[in-house]
Amino acid sequence: MAKFLADCREKGVKPVPDDHSIRTWAQDAGISDEMLQVAWVVFRERYTEDSQYKAKRYKDWVGTFANSVKDRWFSLWFTGEGGVVSWSSTGLQHKQVLDARVAKRKEQEADHATA
C-alpha cells in the first residue's frame, strides 16, 4: 500500500480517481462523500500502519478498497428504515478522530501563519 500511495503522489493522481466506479456505487447506495472519505482513511491506515496488514500485497488497491466499501468491512455505516444510510457507532468514532485531526492541523497551520 505504501508503494501504491507513493506512486500516486509521484504521478500526481488521487489514489481513488474521481471517475472510479466505487464513487457512483456509493452515491447510488446512499453513502455520503464524507463516509467514503472516512472509509478510505480507515482502509489506508489499516494497510500502512497495522502490522497485521502492512505486508499485504494487492494488484488492485482501488478495487480492494471498493470491495471494502461494498461489503462494509469496517462497519462504519448501516442502512436503516427506508434505505437511509447512517453512521454506526464505529463510524462516528472514526469520524470524530478524523475531525479532531483536521482541527489540530488547522490550528497548527494558523499558529505557523501568525508566527
Side-chain angles (χ1 to χ4, degrees), residues 62-75:
V62 182
T64 303
F65 170 67
N67 289 338
S68 78
V69 170
K70 291 175 182 179
D71 295 338
R72 295 184 337 103
W73 288 5
F74 305 108
S75 302

Side-chain angles (χ1 to χ4, degrees), residues 35-95:
M35 290 174 169
L36 197 60
Q37 178 69 29
V38 170
W40 170 254
V41 172
V42 171
F43 179 84
R44 185 193 72 219
E45 287 179 352
R46 169 180 276 188
Y47 291 102
T48 59
E49 298 175 11
D50 188 331
S51 61
Q52 182 178 341
Y53 295 95
K54 278 173 81 168
K56 288 291 259 182
R57 303 287 184 256
Y58 291 105
K59 290 182 181 181
D60 181 5
W61 280 106
V62 182
T64 303
F65 170 67
N67 289 338
S68 78
V69 170
K70 291 175 182 179
D71 295 338
R72 295 184 337 103
W73 288 5
F74 305 108
S75 302
L76 301 173
W77 54 77
F78 66 94
T79 304
E81 195 82 24
V84 175
V85 178
S86 301
W87 288 107
S88 67
S89 58
T90 300
L92 285 172
Q93 182 175 332
H94 283 286
K95 180 184 175 312

Side-chain angles (χ1 to χ4, degrees), residues 107-115:
E107 187 177 302
Q108 289 171 345
E109 288 172 1
D111 289 346
H112 288 304
T114 59

